């Protein structure tokens, strides 16, 4: 879903700023409005959008578990998990 | 349950004193809802997991018990404390899984359904009963049901799903290894409460409150999909599920992809648009559930967290805009999603039965997965109940890839099963069409609402009215009658009559005269005469000469007559001699100059069916009246239909009382002539005088007559009219109320028909039999007449489904030709029929909707035109006339109904400064207003008919505007000064109290500190709401009595601020009814059967002297009811002596209260006390009831229904105490809102007092009884008269009022009765003074 977004496939790997930009886009805000520790629910985030973000980010080859994103929806928390997953992930075949 | 499990699950825990905690805000809302309706199980949520396969029952039981034990919410206990409700977790209070074996029953699945239904419908008292229960029902070797029922206070739907998943997880793990436990724990319930407490004390909550207030300012009123009167949520909703097909699912996902919005938001947006189409406004307000779990401590906690947020969705041009705007609105709403919907409702003052925050609920659940226990087990989760459904929930469950199910839940009080199914079909069709429309690149307006089957039915099936008619004209038809029955009486008036032969001769003579004067086909001849035989002769003669008559009302001002004459240019005016001078310059012919004997010449210009028969002018929006030209074939269809439909014959005697300028008169004039019946002409002005009419009807044996509903109401209010017998009565001209219909049938013996139609369609195009058995709450305008089509269309001329309001279009043979000499206007209002080739339509300007039985309901005007007492008024015409008054810059006229049943026109003007000054200066407001009124009314009187002159005028300096810059009519001020309400609130308590007043009373502005709750429109029902609101705000139960004795903002605030609040529940031995304090002798009002005396409040206040209500001891469970009425009267007299030790007293009693009052009067006299007035409000002596069968307790209880304002006859199903009390609880009545103890007291009073009455024997009272009879009741017992009291009093003064028994103490009745009592109270003071 949302395959044709401007941030799509720009980077081979995910970065904090890519996450921020995607989150901002899906919330209809600008990236600078999303602070690292903001509870994203206070920006109007809902589970369906979390799922969409997870599947969008999984297209980079890293399997992002949706359930984990649900627990603490802040940019920092997500980046910490995704960053760890990316480092661990083997190169895509 | 085996002992093994018992030991296992009861693992001892450290015994600790449970922590008592307040309820969360989410729980508190439900707590009060449940408190208000303790017998209603609507807060029970439940599901059933149907299991098929090899279930390991022991393992399952262990898993279920473990889940229950780890879920604190399932072990909650609650209690109501001084500071509001509290809760704690009872470590041992979790629900064990018990097993029930149904496998031996003949049909185990049905038995399981029945068992679960009964369990789920058992009310739960949260302070006493366990909040949760789970069972494993065994249906057979391989069939089981896991049933879980939890009170909504303990969990929401999300929590229920968590519990199901947790059980499945534990079962799977336990199958692998008995002591395997899941990796992750469920969260702690206390964390949910902590989070709630943090929020409710934090700043965020304040910001959220402000945001919601701003977001919802100016929001439309919330309504459901069907416009039934809102009823409280039921315990057992209709449920209907429908799988949405792959085409729709794929289309939805594709649309979501194109629009870049998640598909649940797309679905919410389109469904909201579906709701908006039903409501019909520019926007609608729906509810969306918000689970509150994301990023919250409650993410893994079964608990009640869910909130319902109001969502405004406005009309949009295309799907993309609609979805974008909705998604944005949802996004913003979620940012403030913690703020409780119930609180928003209170913030906005939407308190009370019909005032809601949102309409339908739209609930998209994209994460719903089938619950899977283990391989080898087939499972199906059935949701049995999800909590209260106020109106309707439009739910979608599924991932939209594999599955998407539309699930509708509806309140059965508002929707029946067919309607629910129809909505499922219509909504799915609408969604599909909206998706396709967007794919085509078309706008949202391209999507219609009706399904193809609905379109077929409501365009064509309901309009199958073809009926063949001869090629005839009115003239050919009545000439036939004249030839067939020359000796029959054609016309009659007091003191004279005329046969058909005579009528033939006179009209032929005048027709010849007119013909010689140049009148022929298509000539328009004006007739300006009062009602008389001559007037009838004139109308018939004009038509026989070939022309069309144009009636003129001599009561209209010259200026208006002139404009009509300028437009119609009649060659001749038939006018009575005394009005001839008003037609200067025109050819006039007065009756004195009419030829009486015809010549030999034949009338050579008989009209053809397509020639004009009459021209009637109606009010025009630009200020210019417009002449409607109706042809013979149109009116012949109307009259022949009427003659045949209602079986008119030569025996009928039809009253002509409608002014000829009003088109109803057309059938009054001509139907008798077609049927060979007698036309009885009422004297001029008789139509305004009910007594004269009643005499006329009796004297002339009228069989048929017509009323405008408001005139019918006035007619019925006059006792002379009661008991009349007629064949049929027709009403039209304005909406007929159900109450008026029913009153008609209790007082008059006749059929009643409701007709509808504009002048532009030959009088009437639809009819409805509003007979004795008609129970329609909104009386329909009914079915189309012969050869007539009625459409309810949307703005794009597409048919609308039943229940949806739209523009009413009329088609068929009865349509007028058009407006005389106004081709542009004719082309605008008479248009082509898009649904029938070659057809014509007239846009009525009325709003209507179909009922499912093919009858139409009229809803009002769609434009500026209004009707006042049956007369059609274009506000524009009055405004145009006002603008010609000196100094008036801008004028708006509005029909207001500030008091129900009392519509009036109010004119708003903006005056030039120069003109304004004349009315300012030193004059007080009232004088200035009077001067303005007199000046403008005088000006209008010369220009418009008297019924178009506003009753009040308001001068404005600026105009209130809506957000989009239009005049905000709703914000135009009331045309009177507000009562003096005292200073603005001073302390925080006063400010809060004033806010609660406005909240409960639905006022926009908080009242001043001295404002009296009851003067502001409060009644005992809203008083109950105020008590509850105060309880919620300050956790103090001040009791109803406090509101009665201290009804001001300042008084109640002081009570709250004072340390001790004595909870006066208003159920004590007496209540103070009036704040009046003086030395005048007090009035004591004795309770009716229900035992409470609050109902006398309006009357006592209108009388304005000190007044007390005496109440039954039965209200107190500790008190026994005395053994006789005399003993009761003795007790009450003791109370009187305590409250007022010496001096005269006055008594009033309604119903049973009257019986007691008489007994008290006897007793007071015996004690030597002076008794002044003894007023009996529709009370009758005890022997009237003695021979009536003793009512069984249930019958006595059913009387409560009447006391609460319901019709007991309409509810035969309420045949037990529980059902009756439950019904009252669900309704928004004073009784239904009483606390349990109080309602029990009322029940005791009703049953107890009834018994005493039968055993009572009256003593004679040596004074005068004043009796006020409810004249609108007792049709079945006419012997109930004041005279029955004669044996028990020295004198009985009898008065009769046009009221029903039930309304004798209502606010309206108080205004009628109070002056009568005041006058007599003053008189008794004089006579007592003399005797002293």
């Amino acid at each position: 879903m949302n395959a044709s977004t401007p941030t799509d496939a720009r980077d081979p790997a995910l970065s904090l700023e890519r996450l921020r930009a995607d989150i901002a886009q899906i919330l209809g805000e600008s990236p600078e409005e999303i602070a690292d520790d903001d509870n994203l629910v206070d920006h109007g985030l809902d589970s369906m959008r979390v799922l969409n973000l997870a599947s969008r980010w999984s297209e980079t080859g890293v399997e992002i578990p949706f359930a984990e994103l649900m627990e603490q929806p802040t940019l920092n928390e997500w980046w910490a998990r995704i960053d760890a997953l990316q480092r661990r992930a083997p190169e895509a075949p | 349950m085996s002992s093994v499990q018992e030991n296992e699950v009861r693992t001892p825990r450290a015994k600790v004193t449970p922590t008592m905690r307040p309820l969360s805000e989410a729980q508190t809302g439900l707590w009060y809802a449940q408190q208000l309706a303790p017998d209603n199980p609507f807060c029970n949520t439940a599901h059933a997991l149907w299991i098929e396969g090899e279930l390991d029952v022991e393992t399952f039981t262990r898993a279920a018990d473990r889940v229950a034990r780890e879920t604190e919410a399932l072990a909650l206990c609650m209690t109501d404390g001084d500071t509001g409700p509290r809760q704690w977790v009872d470590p041992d209070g979790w629900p064990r899984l018990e097993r029930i074996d149904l496998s031996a029953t003949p049909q185990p699945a049905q038995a399981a359904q029945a068992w679960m239904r009964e369990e789920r419908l058992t009310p739960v008292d949260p302070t006493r009963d366990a909040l949760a229960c789970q069972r494993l029902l065994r249906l057979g070797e391989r069939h089981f049901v896991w049933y879980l029922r939890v009170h909504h206070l303990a969990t929401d739907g999300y929590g229920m799903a968590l519990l199901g998943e947790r059980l499945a997880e534990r079962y799977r793990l336990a199958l692998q290894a008995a002591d395997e436990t899941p990796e992750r724990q469920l969260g702690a319930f206390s964390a949910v409460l902590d989070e709630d407490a943090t929020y409710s004390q934090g700043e965020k909550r304040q910001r959220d409150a402000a945001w919601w207030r701003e977001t919802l300012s100016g929001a439309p009123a919330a309504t459901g999909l069907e416009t039934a009167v809102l009823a409280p949520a039921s315990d057992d909703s209709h449920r209907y599920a429908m799988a949405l097909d792959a085409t729709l699912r794929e289309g939805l996902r594709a649309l979501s992809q194109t629009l870049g919005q998640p598909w649940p938001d797309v679905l919410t947006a389109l469904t909201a648009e579906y709701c908006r189409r039903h409501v019909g406004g520019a926007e609608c307000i729906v509810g969306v559930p918000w689970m509150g779990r994301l990023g919250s401590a409650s993410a893994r906690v079964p608990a009640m967290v869910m909130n319902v947020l109001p969502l405004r969705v406005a009309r949009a041009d295309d799907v993309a805009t609609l979805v974008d705007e909705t998604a944005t609105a949802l996004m913003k709403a979620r940012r403030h999603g913690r703020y409780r919907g119930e609180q928003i409702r209170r913030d906005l003052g939407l308190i009370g039965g019909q005032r809601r925050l949102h309409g339908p609920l739209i609930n998209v659940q994209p994460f719903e997965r089938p619950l899977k226990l283990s391989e080898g087990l087939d499972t199906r989760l059935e949701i049995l109940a999800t909590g209260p459904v106020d109106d309707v929930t439009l739910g979608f469950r599924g991932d939209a890839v594999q599955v998407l199910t539309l699930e509708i839940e509806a309140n059965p009080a508002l929707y029946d099963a067919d309607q629910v199914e129809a909505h499922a079909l219509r909504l799915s069709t609408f969604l599909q069409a909206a998706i396709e429309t967007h794919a085509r690149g078309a706008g949202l307006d391209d999507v219609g609402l009706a399904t193809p089957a609905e379109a077929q039915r409501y365009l064509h099936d309901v309009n199958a009215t073809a009926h063949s008619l001869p090629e005839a004209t009115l003239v050919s038809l009545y000439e036939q009658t004249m030839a067939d029955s020359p000796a029959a009486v054609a016309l009659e008036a007091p003191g004279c009559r005329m046969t058909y032969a005579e009528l033939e001769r006179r009209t032929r003579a005048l027709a010849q005269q007119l013909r010689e004067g140049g009148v022929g086909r298509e000539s328009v001849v004006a007739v300006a005469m009062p009602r008389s035989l001559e007037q009838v002769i004139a109308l018939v003669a004009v038509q026989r000469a070939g022309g069309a008559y144009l009636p003129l009302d001599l009561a209209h001002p010259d200026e208006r007559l002139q404009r009509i004459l300028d437009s119609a240019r009649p060659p001749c005016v038939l006018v009575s001699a005394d009005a001839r001078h008003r037609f200067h310059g025109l050819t006039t012919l007065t009756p004195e100059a009419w030829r009486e004997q015809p010549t030999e010449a034949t009338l050579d210009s008989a009209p053809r069916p397509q020639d004009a028969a009459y021209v009637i002018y109606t009010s025009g929006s630009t200020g210019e009246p417009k002449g409607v030209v109706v042809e013979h074939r149109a009116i012949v269809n109307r009259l022949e239909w009427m003659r045949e439909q209602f079986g008119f014959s030569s025996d009928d005697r039809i009253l002509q009382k409608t002014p000829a300028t009003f088109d109803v008169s057309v059938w009054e004039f001509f139907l008798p002539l077609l049927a060979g019946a007698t036309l009885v002409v009422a004297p001029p002005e008789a139509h305004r005088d009910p007594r004269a009419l009643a005499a006329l009807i009796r004297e002339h044996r009228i069989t048929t007559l017509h009323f405008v509903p408001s005139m019918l109401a006035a007619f019925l209010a006059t006792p002379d009219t009661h008991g009349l017998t007629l064949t049929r009565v027709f009403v039209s001209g304005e909406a007929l109320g159900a109450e008026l219909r029913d009153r008609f049938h209790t007082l008059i013996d006749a059929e009643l028909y409701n007709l509808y139609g504009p002048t532009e369609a030959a009088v009437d195009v639809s009819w409805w039999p509003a007979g004795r058995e008609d129970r329609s709450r909104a009386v329909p305008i009914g079915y189309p007449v012969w050869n007539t089509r009625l459409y309810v269309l949307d703005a794009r001329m597409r048919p609308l489904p039943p229940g949806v309001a739209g523009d009413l279009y009329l088609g068929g043979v009865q349509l007028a030709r058009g407006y005389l000499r106004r081709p542009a206007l004719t082309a605008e209002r008479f248009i082509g029929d898009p649904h029938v080739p070659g057809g014509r339509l007239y846009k009525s300007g009325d709003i209507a909707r179909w009922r499912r039985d093919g009858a139409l309901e009229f809803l009002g005007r769609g434009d500026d035109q209004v009707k006042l007492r049956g007369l059609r008024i274009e506000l524009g015409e009055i405004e145009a006339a006002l603008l010609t008054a000196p100094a008036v810059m801008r004028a708006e006229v509005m029909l207001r109904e500030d008091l129900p049943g009392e519509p009036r026109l109010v004119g708003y003007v903006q005056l030039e400064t120069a003109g304004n000054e004349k009315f300012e200066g030193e004059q007080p407001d009232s004088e200035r207003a009077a001067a303005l009124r007199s000046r403008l009314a005088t000006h209008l009187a010369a220009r418009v008919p008297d019924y178009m002159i506003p009753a009040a005028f308001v001068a404005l300096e600026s105009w209130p505007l809506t957000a989009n810059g239009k005049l905000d009519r709703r914000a135009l001020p009331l045309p009177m000064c507000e009562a003096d309400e005292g200073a603005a609130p001073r302390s925080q308590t006063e400010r809060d109290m004033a806010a609660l007043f406005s909240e409960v009373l639905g006022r926009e502005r908080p009242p001043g500190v001295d404002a009296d709750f009851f003067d502001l429109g409060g009644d005992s029902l809203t008083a109950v709401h105020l008590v509850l609101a105060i309880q919620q705000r300050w956790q103090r139960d001040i009791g109803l009595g406090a509101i009665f004795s201290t009804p001001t903002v300042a008084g109640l605030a002081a009570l709250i601020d004072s340390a001790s609040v004595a909870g006066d529940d208003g159920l004590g031995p007496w209540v103070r009814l009036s704040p009046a304090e003086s030395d005048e002798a007090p009035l004591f009002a004795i309770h009716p059967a229900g035992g409470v005396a609050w109902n006398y409040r309006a009357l006592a206040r209108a009388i304005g002297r000190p007044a007390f209500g005496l109440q039954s001891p039965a209200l107190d469970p500790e008190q026994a009811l005395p053994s006789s009425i005399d003993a009761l009267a003795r007790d009450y007299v003791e109370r009187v002596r305590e409250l007022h030790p010496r001096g005269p007293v006055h008594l009033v009693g309604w119903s049973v209260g009257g019986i007691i009052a008489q007994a008290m009067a006897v007793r007071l006299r015996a004690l030597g006390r002076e008794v002044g007035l003894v007023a009996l409000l529709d009370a009758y002596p005890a022997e009237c009831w003695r021979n009536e069968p003793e009512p069984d307790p249930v019958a006595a209880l059913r009387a409560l229904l009447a006391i609460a304002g319901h019709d007991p006859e309409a509810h035969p199903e309420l045949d037990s105490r529980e059902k009756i009390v439950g019904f009252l609880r669900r309704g928004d009545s004073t009784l239904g809102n009483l606390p349990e103890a109080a309602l029990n007291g009322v029940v005791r009073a009703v049953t107890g007092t009834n018994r005493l009455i039968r055993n009572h024997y009256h003593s004679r009272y040596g004074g005068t009884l004043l009796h006020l009879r409810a004249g609108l009741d007792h049709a079945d017992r006419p012997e109930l008269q004041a005279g029955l009291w004669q044996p028990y009093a020295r004198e009985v003064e009898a008065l009769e009022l046009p009221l029903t028994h039930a309304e004798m103490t209502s606010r309206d009745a108080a205004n009628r009765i109070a002056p009568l009592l005041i006058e007599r109270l003053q008189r008794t003071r004089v006579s007592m003074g003399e005797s002293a």
Side-chain angles (χ1 to χ4, degrees), chain B residues 817-958:
Chain B
R817 180 190 293 168
Y819 299 110
L820 190 61
R821 301 208 175 87
R822 303 281 294 275
L825 186 62
T826 302
E828 186 188 319
R829 298 306 288 263
F830 293 86
I831 54 177
D833 182 344
H835 303 292
V836 172
R840 268 171 99 223
L841 286 182
Y842 168 69
K843 184 174 184 181
S844 70
D846 289 332
I847 305 296
R849 65 172 171 234
W850 286 109
R851 298 198 335 177
R852 282 173 294 159
D853 62 357
L856 269 179
E857 281 178 358
F858 169 84
L859 300 172
R861 288 293 303 176
D863 55 20
D864 231 14
Q865 195 187 86
V866 297
K867 277 203 169 184
L868 186 61
R869 284 176 272 285
L871 296 160
R872 178 162 143 182
I873 296 171
E874 293 277 4
L875 298 178
E877 186 172 354
I878 309 174
E879 286 159 4
L882 271 176
L883 283 172
T884 63
V888 174
M889 288 166 62
R890 178 171 173 188
E892 300 283 345
V893 179
M894 186 180 173
L895 185 74
R896 298 188 73 112
E897 194 166 338
D898 299 309
L899 293 172
E902 289 178 33
R904 57 179 177 162
L905 290 171
V906 178
Y908 294 88
V909 291
Q910 186 175 9
L911 301 170
E912 285 165 24
T913 328
N916 220 354
E917 276 164 3
K918 281 202 293 197
F919 296 96
E920 278 173 2
E922 297 308 305
Q923 281 174 312
D925 282 358
S926 56
E927 282 178 30
R928 207 185 311 154
L932 179 70
R933 196 202 120 66
S934 134
R935 180 167 74 101
L936 295 177
T938 313
H939 179 82
L940 284 181
R943 288 165 182 83
V944 297
D946 55 359
Y947 60 84
M948 288 169 67
I949 300 174
F953 293 91
V954 178
L956 293 176
E957 284 174 20
S958 62

Side-chain angles (χ1 to χ4, degrees), chain B residues 800-1097:
Chain B
L800 285 165
V804 181
D807 294 316
L808 176 58
Y809 287 83
L810 321 175
V813 67
Q814 281 189 200
L815 289 204
R817 180 190 293 168
Y819 299 110
L820 190 61
R821 301 208 175 87
R822 303 281 294 275
L825 186 62
T826 302
E828 186 188 319
R829 298 306 288 263
F830 293 86
I831 54 177
D833 182 344
H835 303 292
V836 172
R840 268 171 99 223
L841 286 182
Y842 168 69
K843 184 174 184 181
S844 70
D846 289 332
I847 305 296
R849 65 172 171 234
W850 286 109
R851 298 198 335 177
R852 282 173 294 159
D853 62 357
L856 269 179
E857 281 178 358
F858 169 84
L859 300 172
R861 288 293 303 176
D863 55 20
D864 231 14
Q865 195 187 86
V866 297
K867 277 203 169 184
L868 186 61
R869 284 176 272 285
L871 296 160
R872 178 162 143 182
I873 296 171
E874 293 277 4
L875 298 178
E877 186 172 354
I878 309 174
E879 286 159 4
L882 271 176
L883 283 172
T884 63
V888 174
M889 288 166 62
R890 178 171 173 188
E892 300 283 345
V893 179
M894 186 180 173
L895 185 74
R896 298 188 73 112
E897 194 166 338
D898 299 309
L899 293 172
E902 289 178 33
R904 57 179 177 162
L905 290 171
V906 178
Y908 294 88
V909 291
Q910 186 175 9
L911 301 170
E912 285 165 24
T913 328
N916 220 354
E917 276 164 3
K918 281 202 293 197
F919 296 96
E920 278 173 2
E922 297 308 305
Q923 281 174 312
D925 282 358
S926 56
E927 282 178 30
R928 207 185 311 154
L932 179 70
R933 196 202 120 66
S934 134
R935 180 167 74 101
L936 295 177
T938 313
H939 179 82
L940 284 181
R943 288 165 182 83
V944 297
D946 55 359
Y947 60 84
M948 288 169 67
I949 300 174
F953 293 91
V954 178
L956 293 176
E957 284 174 20
S958 62
W959 300 85
L961 298 178
T962 62
N964 49 15
K966 288 185 180 169
L967 176 66
D968 186 356
R969 291 187 163 264
R970 284 186 304 180
L972 286 170
L974 274 171
M976 55 179 188
C977 309
E978 298 263 5
D980 184 19
E981 295 180 349
R986 297 149 295 202
S987 67
Q988 188 58 44
T989 315
E990 284 188 348
R991 272 190 290 279
D992 289 355
M993 185 63 73
L996 289 188
F997 267 48
S998 16
E999 181 180 310
V1000 168
L1001 296 170
R1003 286 168 57 100
E1004 297 205 346
R1005 213 161 49 80
V1009 292
D1010 296 330
D1012 178 308
F1013 182 75
F1014 296 97
D1015 286 345
L1016 296 174
D1019 53 24
S1020 39
L1021 170 61
T1022 37
V1024 173
H1025 288 304
L1026 182 61
V1027 171
L1028 287 172
I1030 289 172
Q1031 197 173 345
Q1032 251 174 295
R1033 170 64 186 79
W1034 286 285
Q1035 282 80 45
R1036 298 270 192 92
D1037 182 9
I1038 58 161
L1040 264 178
I1043 311 237
F1044 289 150
S1045 53
T1046 331
T1048 63
V1049 170
L1052 290 171
L1055 197 63
I1056 293 294
D1057 286 340
S1058 74
S1060 66
V1061 173
D1064 176 359
D1065 57 5
L1067 297 171
W1070 56 272
V1071 286
R1072 186 180 277 279
L1073 292 173
S1074 152
E1077 282 181 30
S1078 73
D1079 299 334
E1080 288 177 299
L1083 177 69
F1084 287 89
I1086 326 302
H1087 66 82
V1092 286
W1094 312 338
N1095 54 302
Y1096 294 109
R1097 169 159 293 277

Side-chain angles (χ1 to χ4, degrees), chain B residues 74 184 188 194 207 259 352 461 594 904 991 1068 1122 1179 1199 1227 1330:
Chain B
L74 299 185
R184 306 180 60 219
D194 292 344
R207 287 200 305 273
L259 301 177
D461 300 357
W594 294 357
R904 57 179 177 162
R991 272 190 290 279
E1330 283 165 1

Side-chain angles (χ1 to χ4, degrees), chain B residues 248-398:
Chain B
L248 198 152
R249 298 197 304 268
E250 280 156 24
L252 175 65
R253 293 199 322 273
L255 181 57
S256 153
Q257 189 85 28
T258 327
L259 301 177
Q261 297 289 359
W263 65 262
D265 287 7
V266 176
L267 208 44
T268 300
L270 295 179
T271 307
E273 169 67 4
Y274 175 83
C275 297
R276 190 192 66 81
R277 299 283 186 101
H278 285 77
V279 175
E283 64 171 320
C284 73
I285 184 158
V286 296
V288 283
W290 181 81
M291 283 305 158
R293 294 318 207 281
L294 181 59
S296 150
S298 59
R300 291 182 49 79
V301 189
M304 168 55 193
V305 177
M306 190 271 291
N307 192 12
V308 176
L309 307 177
L311 179 73
R312 291 172 77 165
V313 179
R315 204 201 78 83
D317 287 338
D318 52 67
V319 172
T321 312
L322 173 78
V323 171
D324 266 358
E325 287 178 353
T326 308
T328 306
L330 280 167
M331 180 86 70
K332 288 183 176 163
R334 280 192 297 268
R335 294 175 191 170
H336 309 278
R338 270 204 160 274
Y339 196 75
R340 299 299 306 172
E342 309 89 82
Q343 187 59 44
I344 301 175
R345 191 175 167 196
R346 282 194 293 275
D347 291 350
L348 299 177
L350 298 171
I351 303 293
Q354 301 298 315
R355 297 148 59 84
R356 299 196 265 170
L357 181 56
H358 54 76
L361 220 69
I362 302 176
N363 187 12
V364 186
Q365 299 177 72
F367 296 105
E368 277 290 316
R369 288 188 305 258
L371 190 55
K372 197 80 193 132
L373 274 181
S374 70
E375 293 307 318
L377 286 179
D378 281 337
T379 49
R380 178 173 62 85
L381 184 70
E382 183 187 5
I383 309 291
L384 299 171
T386 56
V389 176
D390 292 326
D391 188 278
V392 66
T393 301
L394 305 170
F396 300 88
R397 201 184 283 269

